[in-house]
């Protein structure tokens, strides 16, 4: 294994779900992994589950200074990252008129600004062959009933990745953005507490992906220098045809909303 291949991997939201699975797979390849997350207890449990190649850096990525300080400590301890994965996120579905501005702001601060803070802290130290990875969502392609707080953050992440793909290329840093659909994670389970019934009907047809499969695909695509990672045919079709499909998807959602209204 080359020295470059052993460069550390930095992962936000690394204490559970896709982030934890990415950490496990990268650790199995021989990378030291630095995990960034808010809850020190869950973070320590994740480190113990991975083993001696994992290190905990508690921080809230929505706090720019705290994120930069945690990344600086990880670089001092482990060296500059070969993989930097912006995965931290929250989602609390609900109808727009029933959700506060504060909740919308919190989604943007964690999901988008957290990714921005992390990328801004990592990329000045990353060199040729390094990989910057964003974990977005199929919600970045079209509006889904009940996701007015969540979807715009993923649209914004998509825009950031598009720009950085071009700007970081001369530095030899590749950018990959993943668009997973529903994945079997604690975050998905937590959504059930606030997900409107209409949202449930809209999303249930997509099925649920295994975390290991999603993480494996993300790393495979990043290894190949690909810009996008889309688990499954539905996500791939949305990637290439979302502008054409969006009107059909809006009409499909409208039918579900009308049926729900008539059944009340």
């Amino acid at each position: 294994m080359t020295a470059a291949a052993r460069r550390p991997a930095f992962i936000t939201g690394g204490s559970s779900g896709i982030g934890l699975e990415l950490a496990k797979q990268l650790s199995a390849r021989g990378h030291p992994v630095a995990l960034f997350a808010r809850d020190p207890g869950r973070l320590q449990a994740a480190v113990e589950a991975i083993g001696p190649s994992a290190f905990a850096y508690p921080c809230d990525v929505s706090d720019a200074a705290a994120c930069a300080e945690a990344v600086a400590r990880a670089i001092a301890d482990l060296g500059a990252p070969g993989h930097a994965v912006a995965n931290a996120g929250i989602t609390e579905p609900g109808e727009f008129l029933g959700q506060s501005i504060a909740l919308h702001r919190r989604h943007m601060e964690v999901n988008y600004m957290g990714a921005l803070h992390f990328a801004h802290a990592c990329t000045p130290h990353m060199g040729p062959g390094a990989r910057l990875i964003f974990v977005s969502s199929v919600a970045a392609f079209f509006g889904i009933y009940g996701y007015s707080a969540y979807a715009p953050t993923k649209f914004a992440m998509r825009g950031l990745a598009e720009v950085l793909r071009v700007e970081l290329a001369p530095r030899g840093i590749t950018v990959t953005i993943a668009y997973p659909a529903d994945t079997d994670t604690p975050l998905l389970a937590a959504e059930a507490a606030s997900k409107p019934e209409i949202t449930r009907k809209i999303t249930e047809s997509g099925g649920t992906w295994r975390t290991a499969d999603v993480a494996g695909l993300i790393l495979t695509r990043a290894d190949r220098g690909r810009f996008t990672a889309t688990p499954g045919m539905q996500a791939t079709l949305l990637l290439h045809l979302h502008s054409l499909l969006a009107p059909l998807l809006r009409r499909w959602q409208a039918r579900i909303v009308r049926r729900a209204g008539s059944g009340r």
Side-chain angles (χ1 to χ4, degrees):
M1 184 178 292
T2 67
R6 291 194 297 269
R7 283 184 290 182
F10 291 8
I11 305 169
T12 68
S15 62
S16 67
I18 294 173
L20 177 57
E21 183 59 34
L22 285 166
K24 289 178 178 178
Q25 294 189 20
L26 285 163
S27 175
R29 295 181 176 190
H31 297 272
V33 291
L35 307 183
F36 302 80
R38 287 176 294 170
D39 187 322
R42 291 177 63 187
L43 198 53
Q44 187 57 39
V47 165
E48 292 172 2
I50 295 169
S53 65
F55 304 87
Y57 294 91
C59 75
D60 183 345
V61 293
S62 71
D63 182 329
C67 182
E69 192 275 333
V71 168
R73 283 192 290 113
I75 290 172
D77 293 342
L78 304 174
H83 291 75
V85 185
N87 168 74
I90 61 172
T91 176
E92 187 174 326
E95 295 180 347
F96 178 73
L97 295 178
Q99 294 188 311
S100 69
I101 291 296
L103 182 65
H104 282 257
R105 182 177 292 113
R106 183 59 181 163
H107 276 73
M108 188 61 74
E109 288 172 348
V110 174
N111 296 0
Y112 175 69
M113 295 303 296
L116 174 64
H117 296 157
F118 180 68
H120 200 268
C122 289
T123 50
H125 307 279
M126 296 166 69
R131 292 153 188 158
L132 177 62
I133 300 171
F134 295 96
V135 180
S136 183
S137 165
V138 292
F141 295 131
F142 70 104
I144 302 172
Y145 186 107
Y147 285 112
S148 61
Y150 176 74
T153 70
K154 297 303 184 177
F155 273 74
M157 181 185 286
R158 180 176 146 208
L160 177 63
E162 291 276 2
V163 174
L164 296 187
R165 177 192 189 187
V166 179
E167 289 197 11
L168 297 179
R171 298 173 62 97
I173 301 171
T174 60
V175 176
T176 298
I177 182 166
Y179 297 107
D182 282 350
T183 304
D184 187 13
T185 65
L187 187 65
L188 181 66
E191 284 188 40
S194 62
K195 184 179 284 188
E197 183 60 28
I198 290 171
T199 308
R200 196 181 314 279
K201 291 179 181 298
I202 290 168
T203 58
E204 67 187 3
S205 62
T208 304
W209 280 79
R210 293 176 61 247
T211 312
D213 294 335
V214 172
L217 175 68
I218 291 170
L219 293 180
T220 296
R221 297 289 289 178
D223 287 345
R224 295 174 181 173
R226 305 296 188 184
F227 178 55
T228 58
T230 50
M233 182 59 69
Q234 288 183 342
T236 302
L237 286 172
L238 285 169
L239 170 67
H240 295 293
L241 301 173
H242 59 272
S243 294
L244 296 174
L245 293 173
L248 299 176
L249 293 169
R250 283 194 296 270
R251 287 198 288 272
W252 171 62
Q253 291 188 76
R255 284 198 301 272
I256 294 174
V257 172
R258 286 196 299 272
R259 289 170 184 166
S262 64
R264 289 173 182 168

